[in-house]
Amino acid sequence: MTVASRAPAHIRALSPYQPGKPISELARETGLPEHTIVKLASNENPFGMSPRAREAAIAALDEGARYPDGNAFALKAALAKKYGIDVNQLVIGNGSNDVLEIATQTFLGPGAAAVFAQYSFAVYPLATQARGARAIQVPAKNYGHDLDAMLAAIDDTVRIVFLANPNNPTGTFLPGNEIEAFLARVPQDVLVVLDEAYTEFLPPAKRYDAIGWVARRPNLLVSRTLCKAYGLAGLRLGYGVGNPEVIDLMNRVRQPFNASIVAQAAAVAALEDEAFVREVAENNQQGMLQLTAAFTALGLEWIPSAGNFVTVKVGDGAKAGAALLEQGVIVRPIAGYGMPEWLRVSIGLPTENERFITALRKALS
Ligand SMILES: *Cc1c(COP(=O)(O)O)cnc(C)c1O
């Protein structure tokens, strides 16, 4: 008998999350200098973070020997003001990944279940199974969520439904009115976690106000992050907006100091720099056109995406991904998501996108 062999069966059955390869790792493996490597594998912000956020983060280092404010007073005040909500509707996370984890810790356990779509975010099955709960994966429709099928999958063991909008890794988008209609049909005792990690990238015509729905939908938890459009991926900061009773339970479960002093300070400053986020979103629209036009010219199928990434069918994703790595370009093969013929590519700066396109052409020839 070993310690590992005595771990619960549901823990032993977990398959680890497969992150994008870090630049430093590829540099070690290939000998390529780090500054020549282009990483378009983790939907990171190619502009970095807002200069104001960076300044605030650096200033916060002076307080680094102190515990952070576990109640995140300043950050919650900023978010409450931004959305016209109460601070008791907010839970702060170490990235929105943490918000998803806390939701499963709070509401799932053995005998319970969570529903999510095929080709959706890998953390949903992971976080569900880590709680000893059952993961119910509902077949996708055109690579996106099939809301009717997801509704039909809800039985009395289901406590959480995960909806990513836009979805990752496919980038598919559900209009707000379809989500509202879905919410109206979900049983009141089932929490809908609406994961809006990419919502800042939506063009104005696609926007909807899910946070505004929370007041009349006590079973809705909207999950947002500053890690993508705001560029705080490495600092880690996410938040959930929900009904005070739901939030209260989640705040009991989370680690007391789950958001660092640096992340909280950067987040407050980042929220004040809306112009930065607008610029990021505009670059994203242009980069999306740049990549998808190149895919079309190469005769490659791609999935229209509302995120800061796009998924393209290359035949053998692992092989193409490896051929790109040799050229110093990191993208994400998504065989782990059940899409072995596809690559997911994050939108970069125009020059990075061009590097990727040139390398892809070579990889496929
Ligand atoms: C990236 C991502 C997240 C989590 O990102 P954090 O860095 O933890 O905020 C959550 N959901 C989806 C769908 C994502 O793609």
Side-chain angles (χ1 to χ4, degrees):
M1 276 297 170
T2 62
V3 171
S5 71
R6 302 286 277 175
H10 64 265
I11 300 295
R12 292 172 58 84
L14 294 175
S15 18
Y17 181 81
Q18 294 170 350
K21 188 189 269 296
I23 289 175
S24 55
E25 188 176 308
L26 185 63
R28 276 198 305 276
E29 288 170 0
T30 60
L32 292 169
E34 290 197 7
H35 73 268
T36 67
I37 293 173
V38 169
K39 184 182 176 201
L40 303 175
S42 301
N43 303 342
E44 293 153 342
N45 191 327
F47 289 99
M49 66 183 80
S50 147
R52 285 160 69 175
R54 186 173 175 278
E55 258 171 53
I58 291 168
L61 286 176
D62 287 340
E63 293 300 314
R66 302 274 175 208
Y67 281 97
D69 176 358
N71 194 31
F73 177 85
L75 177 57
K76 283 186 187 171
L79 289 167
K81 183 163 168 242
K82 180 174 163 72
Y83 296 118
I85 55 176
D86 200 276
V87 290
N88 67 8
Q89 294 180 275
L90 283 161
V91 59
I92 304 298
N94 182 33
S96 61
N97 196 144
D98 192 28
V99 174
L100 305 175
E101 286 284 342
I102 298 165
T104 62
Q105 280 180 282
T106 308
F107 297 105
L108 298 181
V115 166
F116 52 86
Q118 180 188 19
Y119 312 132
S120 196
F121 192 38
V123 166
Y124 307 153
L126 252 180
T128 299
Q129 288 163 349
R131 311 280 98 85
R134 193 163 52 101
I136 304 176
Q137 181 179 292
V138 177
K141 194 168 73 179
N142 300 325
Y143 295 105
H145 295 77
D146 181 342
L147 291 180
D148 288 334
M150 292 179 80
L151 204 60
I154 299 174
D155 61 25
D156 9 307
T157 67
V158 171
R159 295 285 168 271
I160 295 182
V161 177
F162 289 105
L163 273 188
N165 198 45
N167 186 44
N168 177 18
T170 60
T172 53
F173 174 76
L174 291 165
N177 61 335
E178 289 182 28
I179 298 175
E180 266 193 295
F182 176 77
L183 290 171
R185 294 166 67 197
V186 172
Q188 288 299 297
D189 60 350
V190 174
L191 183 71
V192 177
V193 177
L194 180 58
D195 180 349
E196 298 190 323
Y198 302 98
T199 201
E200 293 84 5
F201 295 102
L202 293 177
K206 284 200 163 91
R207 299 230 169 108
Y208 59 91
D209 176 23
I211 290 178
W213 304 339
V214 168
R216 58 195 154 79
R217 294 265 170 235
N219 63 331
L220 172 63
L221 181 78
V222 179
S223 170
R224 297 259 181 111
T225 184
L226 280 88
C227 296
K228 303 279 166 55
Y230 290 88
L232 302 188
L235 295 185
R236 318 292 304 124
L237 203 292
Y239 56 96
V241 184
N243 176 268
E245 284 182 20
V246 167
I247 295 293
D248 172 43
L249 292 176
M250 291 178 71
N251 274 323
R252 297 184 209 183
V253 167
R254 71 172 173 83
Q255 286 184 35
F257 304 111
N258 61 337
S260 79
I261 210 162
V262 176
Q264 290 189 37
V268 170
L271 289 168
E272 285 167 4
D273 196 352
E274 288 299 335
F276 174 81
V277 176
R278 268 199 305 279
E279 200 182 314
V280 165
E282 276 162 28
N283 173 75
N284 187 66
Q285 300 300 332
Q286 286 165 24
M288 185 69 79
L289 290 175
Q290 186 186 2
L291 289 191
T292 54
F295 295 155
T296 300
L298 286 167
L300 300 174
E301 187 185 334
W302 48 276
I303 302 171
S305 169
N308 66 341
F309 56 89
V310 56
T311 303
V312 59
K313 196 173 186 180
V314 292
D316 183 338
K319 198 170 146 212
L324 288 166
L325 285 181
E326 277 174 26
Q327 302 177 69
V329 177
I330 312 172
V331 299
R332 188 80 73 98
I334 48 174
Y337 281 92
M339 298 175 71
E341 298 177 301
W342 300 77
L343 291 176
R344 193 196 69 193
V345 188
S346 308
I347 309 298
L349 300 172
T351 49
E352 295 176 320
N353 299 333
E354 205 47 57
R355 264 285 301 281
F356 160 69
I357 291 163
T358 305
L360 180 66
R361 206 176 286 126
K362 195 164 160 209
L364 298 179
S365 65

